[in-house]
mmCIF file of all heavy atoms in Angstrom:
data_model
loop_
_atom_site.group_PDB
_atom_site.id
_atom_site.type_symbol
_atom_site.label_atom_id
_atom_site.label_comp_id
_atom_site.label_asym_id
_atom_site.label_seq_id
_atom_site.Cartn_x
_atom_site.Cartn_y
_atom_site.Cartn_z
ATOM 1 N N VAL A 628 3.956 5.855 13.984
ATOM 2 C CA VAL A 628 2.649 5.201 13.940
ATOM 3 C C VAL A 628 2.032 5.486 12.579
ATOM 4 O O VAL A 628 1.778 6.631 12.227
ATOM 5 C CB VAL A 628 1.734 5.710 15.069
ATOM 6 C CG1 VAL A 628 0.378 5.036 15.001
ATOM 7 C CG2 VAL A 628 2.391 5.489 16.418
ATOM 8 N N LEU A 629 1.825 4.446 11.807
ATOM 9 C CA LEU A 629 1.220 4.591 10.496
ATOM 10 C C LEU A 629 -0.291 4.496 10.611
ATOM 11 O O LEU A 629 -0.812 3.735 11.435
ATOM 12 C CB LEU A 629 1.736 3.499 9.552
ATOM 13 C CG LEU A 629 3.226 3.529 9.254
ATOM 14 C CD1 LEU A 629 3.607 2.309 8.422
ATOM 15 C CD2 LEU A 629 3.607 4.797 8.539
ATOM 16 N N PRO A 630 -1.017 5.275 9.795
ATOM 17 C CA PRO A 630 -2.481 5.175 9.859
ATOM 18 C C PRO A 630 -2.946 3.818 9.356
ATOM 19 O O PRO A 630 -2.352 3.231 8.451
ATOM 20 C CB PRO A 630 -2.958 6.302 8.937
ATOM 21 C CG PRO A 630 -1.819 6.580 8.029
ATOM 22 C CD PRO A 630 -0.572 6.245 8.800
ATOM 23 N N VAL A 631 -4.007 3.343 9.938
ATOM 24 C CA VAL A 631 -4.572 2.052 9.550
ATOM 25 C C VAL A 631 -5.828 2.338 8.733
ATOM 26 O O VAL A 631 -6.732 3.029 9.188
ATOM 27 C CB VAL A 631 -4.925 1.206 10.792
ATOM 28 C CG1 VAL A 631 -5.581 -0.103 10.386
ATOM 29 C CG2 VAL A 631 -3.685 0.957 11.625
ATOM 30 N N PHE A 632 -5.839 1.833 7.514
ATOM 31 C CA PHE A 632 -6.989 2.009 6.645
ATOM 32 C C PHE A 632 -7.805 0.732 6.652
ATOM 33 O O PHE A 632 -7.264 -0.363 6.585
ATOM 34 C CB PHE A 632 -6.554 2.329 5.212
ATOM 35 C CG PHE A 632 -5.813 3.629 5.097
ATOM 36 C CD1 PHE A 632 -4.440 3.657 4.934
ATOM 37 C CD2 PHE A 632 -6.498 4.827 5.165
ATOM 38 C CE1 PHE A 632 -3.764 4.847 4.825
ATOM 39 C CE2 PHE A 632 -5.833 6.029 5.062
ATOM 40 C CZ PHE A 632 -4.461 6.045 4.885
ATOM 41 N N ARG A 633 -9.107 0.897 6.702
ATOM 42 C CA ARG A 633 -9.953 -0.288 6.654
ATOM 43 C C ARG A 633 -10.193 -0.659 5.200
ATOM 44 O O ARG A 633 -10.093 0.167 4.305
ATOM 45 C CB ARG A 633 -11.273 -0.054 7.373
ATOM 46 C CG ARG A 633 -12.177 0.964 6.721
ATOM 47 C CD ARG A 633 -13.480 1.082 7.512
ATOM 48 N NE ARG A 633 -14.353 2.036 6.891
ATOM 49 C CZ ARG A 633 -15.217 1.753 5.924
ATOM 50 N NH1 ARG A 633 -15.336 0.527 5.490
ATOM 51 N NH2 ARG A 633 -15.979 2.684 5.395
ATOM 52 N N GLU A 634 -10.475 -1.896 4.984
ATOM 53 C CA GLU A 634 -10.742 -2.383 3.632
ATOM 54 C C GLU A 634 -12.041 -1.756 3.128
ATOM 55 O O GLU A 634 -13.064 -1.811 3.804
ATOM 56 C CB GLU A 634 -10.844 -3.906 3.640
ATOM 57 C CG GLU A 634 -10.868 -4.540 2.284
ATOM 58 C CD GLU A 634 -9.562 -4.391 1.530
ATOM 59 O OE1 GLU A 634 -8.493 -4.337 2.168
ATOM 60 O OE2 GLU A 634 -9.614 -4.320 0.299
ATOM 61 N N GLU A 635 -11.982 -1.149 1.947
ATOM 62 C CA GLU A 635 -13.146 -0.466 1.393
ATOM 63 C C GLU A 635 -13.809 -1.372 0.373
ATOM 64 O O GLU A 635 -13.181 -1.801 -0.598
ATOM 65 C CB GLU A 635 -12.688 0.841 0.737
ATOM 66 C CG GLU A 635 -13.804 1.709 0.243
ATOM 67 C CD GLU A 635 -13.292 3.018 -0.328
ATOM 68 O OE1 GLU A 635 -12.237 3.020 -0.989
ATOM 69 O OE2 GLU A 635 -13.947 4.031 -0.110
ATOM 70 N N GLY A 636 -15.067 -1.671 0.594
ATOM 71 C CA GLY A 636 -15.806 -2.528 -0.326
ATOM 72 C C GLY A 636 -16.302 -1.753 -1.537
ATOM 73 O O GLY A 636 -16.149 -0.533 -1.638
ATOM 74 N N PHE A 637 -16.919 -2.468 -2.467
ATOM 75 C CA PHE A 637 -17.411 -1.844 -3.693
ATOM 76 C C PHE A 637 -18.458 -0.780 -3.398
ATOM 77 O O PHE A 637 -18.413 0.320 -3.937
ATOM 78 C CB PHE A 637 -17.987 -2.903 -4.639
ATOM 79 C CG PHE A 637 -18.609 -2.309 -5.874
ATOM 80 C CD1 PHE A 637 -17.807 -1.865 -6.910
ATOM 81 C CD2 PHE A 637 -19.982 -2.175 -5.988
ATOM 82 C CE1 PHE A 637 -18.375 -1.305 -8.054
ATOM 83 C CE2 PHE A 637 -20.562 -1.619 -7.109
ATOM 84 C CZ PHE A 637 -19.759 -1.179 -8.150
ATOM 85 N N GLY A 638 -19.409 -1.103 -2.530
ATOM 86 C CA GLY A 638 -20.479 -0.154 -2.211
ATOM 87 C C GLY A 638 -19.957 1.105 -1.545
ATOM 88 O O GLY A 638 -20.380 2.220 -1.880
ATOM 89 N N ASP A 639 -19.031 0.938 -0.602
ATOM 90 C CA ASP A 639 -18.452 2.100 0.076
ATOM 91 C C ASP A 639 -17.678 2.974 -0.901
ATOM 92 O O ASP A 639 -17.774 4.203 -0.870
ATOM 93 C CB ASP A 639 -17.514 1.656 1.208
ATOM 94 C CG ASP A 639 -18.248 0.939 2.322
ATOM 95 O OD1 ASP A 639 -19.451 1.221 2.513
ATOM 96 O OD2 ASP A 639 -17.625 0.096 2.989
ATOM 97 N N LYS A 640 -16.920 2.350 -1.770
ATOM 98 C CA LYS A 640 -16.135 3.106 -2.751
ATOM 99 C C LYS A 640 -17.054 3.828 -3.735
ATOM 100 O O LYS A 640 -16.820 4.980 -4.090
ATOM 101 C CB LYS A 640 -15.184 2.173 -3.498
ATOM 102 C CG LYS A 640 -14.256 2.900 -4.432
ATOM 103 C CD LYS A 640 -13.239 1.964 -5.035
ATOM 104 C CE LYS A 640 -12.267 2.718 -5.912
ATOM 105 N NZ LYS A 640 -11.240 1.851 -6.474
ATOM 106 N N PHE A 641 -18.123 3.143 -4.168
ATOM 107 C CA PHE A 641 -19.073 3.761 -5.092
ATOM 108 C C PHE A 641 -19.719 4.988 -4.465
ATOM 109 O O PHE A 641 -19.825 6.041 -5.103
ATOM 110 C CB PHE A 641 -20.144 2.742 -5.508
ATOM 111 C CG PHE A 641 -21.169 3.304 -6.445
ATOM 112 C CD1 PHE A 641 -20.861 3.483 -7.785
ATOM 113 C CD2 PHE A 641 -22.419 3.656 -5.990
ATOM 114 C CE1 PHE A 641 -21.801 4.009 -8.660
ATOM 115 C CE2 PHE A 641 -23.371 4.188 -6.852
ATOM 116 C CZ PHE A 641 -23.062 4.362 -8.189
ATOM 117 N N LEU A 642 -20.150 4.863 -3.215
ATOM 118 C CA LEU A 642 -20.766 6.012 -2.540
ATOM 119 C C LEU A 642 -19.777 7.154 -2.352
ATOM 120 O O LEU A 642 -20.125 8.327 -2.531
ATOM 121 C CB LEU A 642 -21.346 5.579 -1.191
ATOM 122 C CG LEU A 642 -22.590 4.703 -1.264
ATOM 123 C CD1 LEU A 642 -22.995 4.239 0.133
ATOM 124 C CD2 LEU A 642 -23.728 5.447 -1.922
ATOM 125 N N ARG A 643 -18.542 6.841 -2.006
ATOM 126 C CA ARG A 643 -17.525 7.882 -1.817
ATOM 127 C C ARG A 643 -17.252 8.610 -3.132
ATOM 128 O O ARG A 643 -17.226 9.838 -3.182
ATOM 129 C CB ARG A 643 -16.239 7.271 -1.271
ATOM 130 C CG ARG A 643 -15.121 8.293 -1.054
ATOM 131 C CD ARG A 643 -13.891 7.656 -0.434
ATOM 132 N NE ARG A 643 -13.353 6.533 -1.183
ATOM 133 C CZ ARG A 643 -12.511 6.657 -2.211
ATOM 134 N NH1 ARG A 643 -12.108 7.830 -2.614
ATOM 135 N NH2 ARG A 643 -12.063 5.573 -2.818
ATOM 136 N N LYS A 644 -17.094 7.852 -4.199
ATOM 137 C CA LYS A 644 -16.833 8.463 -5.505
ATOM 138 C C LYS A 644 -18.034 9.266 -5.994
ATOM 139 O O LYS A 644 -17.876 10.304 -6.633
ATOM 140 C CB LYS A 644 -16.479 7.391 -6.540
ATOM 141 C CG LYS A 644 -15.173 6.685 -6.281
ATOM 142 C CD LYS A 644 -14.022 7.580 -6.616
ATOM 143 C CE LYS A 644 -12.719 6.820 -6.563
ATOM 144 N NZ LYS A 644 -11.586 7.653 -6.912
ATOM 145 N N THR A 645 -19.248 8.788 -5.700
ATOM 146 C CA THR A 645 -20.447 9.526 -6.095
ATOM 147 C C THR A 645 -20.546 10.847 -5.348
ATOM 148 O O THR A 645 -20.936 11.865 -5.928
ATOM 149 C CB THR A 645 -21.701 8.672 -5.847
ATOM 150 O OG1 THR A 645 -21.578 7.463 -6.597
ATOM 151 C CG2 THR A 645 -22.958 9.388 -6.262
ATOM 152 N N ARG A 646 -20.179 10.841 -4.073
ATOM 153 C CA ARG A 646 -20.189 12.097 -3.312
ATOM 154 C C ARG A 646 -19.119 13.062 -3.815
ATOM 155 O O ARG A 646 -19.321 14.269 -3.801
ATOM 156 C CB ARG A 646 -19.978 11.816 -1.831
ATOM 157 C CG ARG A 646 -21.185 11.219 -1.168
ATOM 158 C CD ARG A 646 -20.993 11.101 0.335
ATOM 159 N NE ARG A 646 -21.909 10.136 0.877
ATOM 160 C CZ ARG A 646 -21.582 8.929 1.320
ATOM 161 N NH1 ARG A 646 -20.329 8.548 1.334
ATOM 162 N NH2 ARG A 646 -22.493 8.109 1.772
ATOM 163 N N GLU A 647 -17.973 12.530 -4.233
ATOM 164 C CA GLU A 647 -16.893 13.381 -4.734
ATOM 165 C C GLU A 647 -17.270 14.035 -6.059
ATOM 166 O O GLU A 647 -16.931 15.185 -6.296
ATOM 167 C CB GLU A 647 -15.611 12.572 -4.919
ATOM 168 C CG GLU A 647 -14.941 12.176 -3.636
ATOM 169 C CD GLU A 647 -13.747 11.267 -3.865
ATOM 170 O OE1 GLU A 647 -13.387 10.998 -5.038
ATOM 171 O OE2 GLU A 647 -13.161 10.808 -2.872
ATOM 172 N N ASN A 648 -17.920 13.302 -6.954
ATOM 173 C CA ASN A 648 -18.279 13.824 -8.263
ATOM 174 C C ASN A 648 -19.655 13.297 -8.658
ATOM 175 O O ASN A 648 -19.769 12.306 -9.384
ATOM 176 C CB ASN A 648 -17.218 13.414 -9.294
ATOM 177 C CG ASN A 648 -17.352 14.185 -10.582
ATOM 178 O OD1 ASN A 648 -18.236 15.006 -10.735
ATOM 179 N ND2 ASN A 648 -16.470 13.913 -11.520
ATOM 180 N N PRO A 649 -20.729 13.955 -8.212
ATOM 181 C CA PRO A 649 -22.080 13.431 -8.457
ATOM 182 C C PRO A 649 -22.540 13.555 -9.909
ATOM 183 O O PRO A 649 -23.513 12.921 -10.294
ATOM 184 C CB PRO A 649 -22.955 14.274 -7.529
ATOM 185 C CG PRO A 649 -22.202 15.529 -7.323
ATOM 186 C CD PRO A 649 -20.750 15.167 -7.385
ATOM 187 N N LEU A 650 -21.855 14.335 -10.733
ATOM 188 C CA LEU A 650 -22.311 14.511 -12.107
ATOM 189 C C LEU A 650 -22.046 13.287 -12.982
ATOM 190 O O LEU A 650 -22.763 13.058 -13.960
ATOM 191 C CB LEU A 650 -21.638 15.738 -12.729
ATOM 192 C CG LEU A 650 -22.016 17.076 -12.107
ATOM 193 C CD1 LEU A 650 -21.254 18.195 -12.782
ATOM 194 C CD2 LEU A 650 -23.507 17.312 -12.195
ATOM 195 N N VAL A 651 -21.048 12.492 -12.652
ATOM 196 C CA VAL A 651 -20.732 11.321 -13.484
ATOM 197 C C VAL A 651 -21.838 10.262 -13.400
ATOM 198 O O VAL A 651 -22.338 9.825 -14.445
ATOM 199 C CB VAL A 651 -19.345 10.745 -13.127
ATOM 200 C CG1 VAL A 651 -19.093 9.436 -13.854
ATOM 201 C CG2 VAL A 651 -18.254 11.747 -13.457
ATOM 202 N N PRO A 652 -22.263 9.822 -12.215
ATOM 203 C CA PRO A 652 -23.363 8.847 -12.192
ATOM 204 C C PRO A 652 -24.664 9.416 -12.773
ATOM 205 O O PRO A 652 -25.410 8.699 -13.435
ATOM 206 C CB PRO A 652 -23.551 8.523 -10.707
ATOM 207 C CG PRO A 652 -22.306 8.941 -10.056
ATOM 208 C CD PRO A 652 -21.732 10.038 -10.874
ATOM 209 N N LEU A 653 -24.890 10.710 -12.572
ATOM 210 C CA LEU A 653 -26.081 11.337 -13.143
ATOM 211 C C LEU A 653 -26.010 11.310 -14.668
ATOM 212 O O LEU A 653 -26.999 11.014 -15.346
ATOM 213 C CB LEU A 653 -26.202 12.776 -12.639
ATOM 214 C CG LEU A 653 -27.441 13.540 -13.047
ATOM 215 C CD1 LEU A 653 -28.673 12.888 -12.450
ATOM 216 C CD2 LEU A 653 -27.331 14.981 -12.596
ATOM 217 N N GLY A 654 -24.841 11.596 -15.221
ATOM 218 C CA GLY A 654 -24.663 11.541 -16.668
ATOM 219 C C GLY A 654 -24.825 10.131 -17.212
ATOM 220 O O GLY A 654 -25.384 9.934 -18.301
ATOM 221 N N CYS A 655 -24.324 9.149 -16.456
ATOM 222 C CA CYS A 655 -24.483 7.743 -16.874
ATOM 223 C C CYS A 655 -25.957 7.357 -16.913
ATOM 224 O O CYS A 655 -26.415 6.711 -17.866
ATOM 225 C CB CYS A 655 -23.716 6.817 -15.949
ATOM 226 S SG CYS A 655 -21.935 6.944 -16.107
ATOM 227 N N LEU A 656 -26.704 7.752 -15.900
ATOM 228 C CA LEU A 656 -28.141 7.449 -15.872
ATOM 229 C C LEU A 656 -28.866 8.139 -17.023
ATOM 230 O O LEU A 656 -29.751 7.552 -17.657
ATOM 231 C CB LEU A 656 -28.749 7.868 -14.536
ATOM 232 C CG LEU A 656 -28.413 6.987 -13.346
ATOM 233 C CD1 LEU A 656 -28.956 7.601 -12.060
ATOM 234 C CD2 LEU A 656 -28.968 5.591 -13.536
#
């Protein structure tokens, strides 16, 4: 049984990446 991944939209991916490394968006701002 292979895991089923749901399609990740831009907003979901952005939030996930921001939670993983919050200093990058802060530095961009």
Side-chain angles (χ1 to χ4, degrees):
V628 179
L629 297 174
V631 177
F632 296 104
R633 66 178 181 87
E634 191 67 31
E635 186 177 38
F637 175 78
D639 295 332
K640 185 174 183 178
F641 179 77
L642 289 175
R643 180 177 56 84
K644 293 286 189 179
T645 301
R646 286 186 200 108
E647 288 175 4
N648 194 359
L650 294 178
V651 173
L653 185 64
C655 290
L656 286 174

